[in-house]
Amino acid sequence: MRRVALVTLVVDDYDEAIRFYTDALGFRLAEDTPRPDGSRWVVVEPGTGDQGTGLLLARAKDEAQRGRVGDQTGGRVGFFLHTDDFARDHAWMTAAGVTFLEEPRHEPYGSVAVFQDLYGNRWDLLQPAAPAADSTPQ
């Protein structure tokens, strides 16, 4: 089976990024390995293993990369954090200092609110709507 395992997120600082993703978003630190060039291989994941795509936190190495920090997707929502309890996670993240850019809304596809990470990248916190019950007669 194939799946997207990691997505790279360019950051200013490994440790501040680790703190944000683990403390404010509840991710777990899956790996933090020093590399010979002085960089680190840092992976954070939502949930407890194999429950979603991990983030490779890559420290910007030059001015071009530093210019992309916080603008990974040109100002669009680029990341989607699914939850099974929107109200719980919205309240917890707000208390942890996460900046929400809008009030929660309830759409046909689920409950959603846009937030930004510590660098300004936009995310959706999303509880997908339950699938409609199959009304086909048995």
Side-chain angles (χ1 to χ4, degrees):
M1 181 168 83
R2 296 185 305 172
R3 69 181 181 95
V4 175
L6 293 173
V7 172
T8 299
L9 191 63
V10 182
V11 301
D12 279 331
D13 180 83
Y14 293 118
D15 294 321
E16 74 178 0
I18 291 168
R19 275 191 301 278
F20 177 81
Y21 287 99
T22 58
D23 295 349
L25 299 189
F27 284 34
R28 72 179 187 86
L29 179 60
E31 187 172 355
D32 186 354
T33 304
R35 299 186 58 169
D37 65 358
S39 66
R40 290 157 55 185
W41 183 264
V42 178
V43 176
V44 293
E45 298 175 338
T48 54
D50 291 342
Q51 291 185 350
T53 301
L55 295 177
L56 173 64
L57 304 178
R59 186 181 64 210
K61 291 183 179 183
D62 56 31
E63 283 305 311
Q65 289 181 11
R66 277 189 283 285
R68 303 308 298 168
V69 172
D71 190 26
Q72 306 277 304
T73 59
R76 293 186 57 105
V77 170
F79 306 96
F80 301 82
L81 183 59
H82 282 200
T83 178
D84 61 355
D85 188 333
F86 181 88
R88 174 200 65 210
D89 289 343
H90 183 269
W92 182 75
M93 290 167 63
T94 300
V98 173
T99 300
F100 280 87
L101 303 176
E102 64 181 19
E103 292 299 315
R105 42 192 173 91
H106 306 286
E107 303 288 348
Y109 57 84
S111 298
V112 63
V114 176
F115 70 93
Q116 61 186 23
D117 67 17
L118 75 163
Y119 298 114
N121 294 301
R122 291 174 180 241
W123 290 68
D124 271 357
L125 175 64
L126 175 65
Q127 180 178 356
D134 184 6
S135 58
T136 305
Q138 299 295 321

